[in-house]
Amino acid sequence: MDLILASQSITRRRILDAARIDARFMSPKIDEENITKSLIADQALPRDIADTLAEHKALKISLKNLDSLVIGCDQILVFEGEIFGKPASPEALKDMLSRLSGQTHRLVTANVIYKDGKPMWRHVAISHMSMRTITSNEIDAYIEAHWPDVKHSAGGYHFERTPDLFSSVRGNWFDIMGLSIDPILRFLNQHQAGNPFQIPRLAAVLGHPIAQSKSPLMHGHWLKKNQISGDYIAIDIPPMRFNTTVRMLFDVGFSGFNVTIPHKEQALAFADDMTPRARRIGAANTLIKRDSGKISADNTDGYGFMTNLASQNSAWNPSAGPSLVLGAGGAARAILVALLEAGVPKIYLCNRTRARAEDLAADISDCIEVIDWEDKQGVLPDVFTVVNATSLGMIGKPPLEIDLTNLNPDALVTDLIYAPLETQLLKDARTRGCEVVSGIGMLLHQGVPGFEAWFGHRPAVDEELEALVLT
Ligand code: NAP
């Protein structure tokens, strides 16, 4: 089956890629503006306008590619009977957003399939988008931050980048993105003999900021390598919009999320139920929508940490003796729980801000003894595991200053930091004769349970993935 998408939209191309559809992409170049104007003059309905534009695009490509199936599509934004196009200037965008603020508009997404210059199939989807009330100052800040990205978008927004502009949505993610992939796949499955195409599943990492996240690279690699129909993106959500936005993203079709700073505690509170380890850690890094519609929270940081240790050093014996954990932030919390569950009999917890360590110890276990930051070297002869869970030693951060002269050479030393891959702590420990484990494996392993839950396949953590994430 030779399939052509008559569109130059990167987003639509991404949807077909996500569905593992091998298609060609062609730009139809029709005079959209004049066709739309004449249809409006004829008082055509919005859905007929979108449908006609989709047809023009498909027809033009179909006539030059007889025998191919050609998908044409178009999307228009309708508010109070008026069609909103692309904003001509920042001032026009301000006017548009001021009108859409606090109101519900419709996105009309038309899809047609042509063959031999004739229509075979058509589908129009309507999504109802309710924008929250946005203040004038907020609109100004939005335009300042997003104008170059959104000036080519009808209505002046990209739902996938700023879903927090909305309070609720009635619709499907792919329709909103501009291509109704579910009905298209149903049509294609009726007209092809091979394995049926699967509707893509969706997951994302949520944080604020989020641009630095390696998760899209990891999950994208697993999806492609295993030829799974699905997509994984990064979405920036401000903390005060977390609950509303996550609820809305589940409603439009997401199977789940990874959650990172600063949303991990909110994610736990958001869920309907949680795993015992998430409850004990008091934070979630994974949200999963179950078949029942209930949202479950998990925390896989400790799992990632322990699986990494086990895969790098099978001789490590947690019950051999006490551990020293440096740091008392979010990551340390998960590490403490994981070490205790693995059988470590006692943990010395050492943090620059002692009070934070004391709160953490009081929350988690009597087996944790808090020591002063200056006393970290004093316990080294006694410990069998050392974990750096501070940000010290990371590229761009101050070094972690610790003299390992008295460290037991049988101890295992691990650093959560993976940039650089081998920190000074690990270099010094290696010189001392200790086993060392870098933090990169923790990052890779913590993603496995979420991927398996959302996409139904347990992915492999291998050198190829590690090299990809480290580039
Ligand atoms: P966090 O909540 O911000 O905690 C940061 C920790 O570093 C706190 O204990 C903080 O001490 C300490 N710290 C920061 N600057 C310091 C300084 N100048 N001197 C002494 N201590 C200092 O961060 P987190 O989420 O726990 O992450 C900690 C580290 O683990 C980060 O480097 C992160 O990249 C890494 N990490 C790696 C993975 C992985 O998969 N490999 C996963 C999670 C985290 P105070 O309490 O005194 O501020």
Side-chain angles (χ1 to χ4, degrees), residues 95-206:
D95 183 50
M96 265 181 197
L97 292 175
S98 305
R99 288 186 62 196
L100 297 177
S101 164
Q103 304 291 334
T104 299
H105 62 268
R106 286 176 297 149
L107 287 179
V108 181
T109 308
N111 312 260
V112 299
I113 296 182
Y114 265 60
K115 187 160 183 266
D116 298 326
K118 295 191 184 69
M120 293 184 75
W121 175 88
R122 66 184 63 244
H123 177 89
V124 176
I126 303 204
S127 312
H128 299 261
M129 316 289 294
S130 299
M131 203 175 265
R132 64 181 168 82
T133 303
I134 313 170
T135 64
S136 176
N137 286 347
E138 247 188 296
I139 294 178
D140 289 341
Y142 172 87
I143 294 172
E144 173 86 24
H146 298 285
W147 169 249
D149 290 338
V150 300
K151 63 184 177 188
H152 300 301
S153 304
Y157 66 81
H158 284 151
F159 181 67
E160 68 275 34
R161 301 222 187 113
T162 48
D164 59 289
L165 285 179
F166 294 83
S167 53
S168 70
V169 165
R170 197 146 48 85
N172 165 291
W173 173 262
F174 296 109
D175 293 339
I176 297 166
M177 292 300 111
L179 189 71
S180 301
I181 195 71
D182 302 22
I184 288 175
L185 292 185
R186 279 196 291 275
F187 170 86
L188 293 178
N189 284 338
Q190 283 165 6
H191 289 81
Q192 58 118 26
N195 287 335
F197 295 114
Q198 305 291 327
I199 290 166
R201 288 172 162 259
L202 289 164
V205 56
L206 312 176

Side-chain angles (χ1 to χ4, degrees), residues 80-321:
E80 292 179 336
E82 189 183 325
I83 293 176
F84 278 33
K86 296 164 191 169
S89 63
E91 294 70 34
L93 174 55
K94 180 155 189 176
D95 183 50
M96 265 181 197
L97 292 175
S98 305
R99 288 186 62 196
L100 297 177
S101 164
Q103 304 291 334
T104 299
H105 62 268
R106 286 176 297 149
L107 287 179
V108 181
T109 308
N111 312 260
V112 299
I113 296 182
Y114 265 60
K115 187 160 183 266
D116 298 326
K118 295 191 184 69
M120 293 184 75
W121 175 88
R122 66 184 63 244
H123 177 89
V124 176
I126 303 204
S127 312
H128 299 261
M129 316 289 294
S130 299
M131 203 175 265
R132 64 181 168 82
T133 303
I134 313 170
T135 64
S136 176
N137 286 347
E138 247 188 296
I139 294 178
D140 289 341
Y142 172 87
I143 294 172
E144 173 86 24
H146 298 285
W147 169 249
D149 290 338
V150 300
K151 63 184 177 188
H152 300 301
S153 304
Y157 66 81
H158 284 151
F159 181 67
E160 68 275 34
R161 301 222 187 113
T162 48
D164 59 289
L165 285 179
F166 294 83
S167 53
S168 70
V169 165
R170 197 146 48 85
N172 165 291
W173 173 262
F174 296 109
D175 293 339
I176 297 166
M177 292 300 111
L179 189 71
S180 301
I181 195 71
D182 302 22
I184 288 175
L185 292 185
R186 279 196 291 275
F187 170 86
L188 293 178
N189 284 338
Q190 283 165 6
H191 289 81
Q192 58 118 26
N195 287 335
F197 295 114
Q198 305 291 327
I199 290 166
R201 288 172 162 259
L202 289 164
V205 56
L206 312 176
H208 184 70
I210 199 59
Q212 79 295 346
S213 174
K214 300 277 189 190
S215 294
L217 203 59
M218 260 168 65
H219 290 271
H221 168 80
W222 281 332
L223 287 169
K224 196 167 174 201
K225 185 160 184 173
N226 297 294
Q227 282 298 297
I228 292 168
S229 179
D231 203 2
Y232 185 102
I233 60 173
I235 304 178
D236 191 321
I237 304 180
M240 63 188 300
R241 305 271 166 228
F242 183 81
N243 281 11
T244 314
T245 310
V246 174
R247 172 69 53 215
M248 193 171 58
L249 291 171
F250 273 123
D251 287 347
V252 298
F254 276 78
S255 298
F257 303 99
N258 281 131
V259 181
T260 186
I261 294 168
H263 301 313
K264 289 185 173 186
E265 283 83 13
Q266 275 202 82
L268 191 72
F270 176 89
D272 300 308
D273 55 57
M274 62 192 76
T275 57
R277 62 189 178 192
R279 186 189 304 280
R280 197 155 179 221
I281 294 166
N285 75 341
T286 307
L287 291 175
I288 298 160
K289 187 172 190 172
R290 303 288 176 198
D291 291 342
S292 62
K294 289 242 159 81
I295 309 300
S296 293
D298 193 6
N299 192 314
T300 64
D301 281 338
Y303 162 85
F305 173 77
M306 294 308 299
T307 312
N308 185 36
L309 283 194
S311 67
Q312 299 294 310
N313 190 306
S314 53
W316 178 65
N317 176 10
S319 48

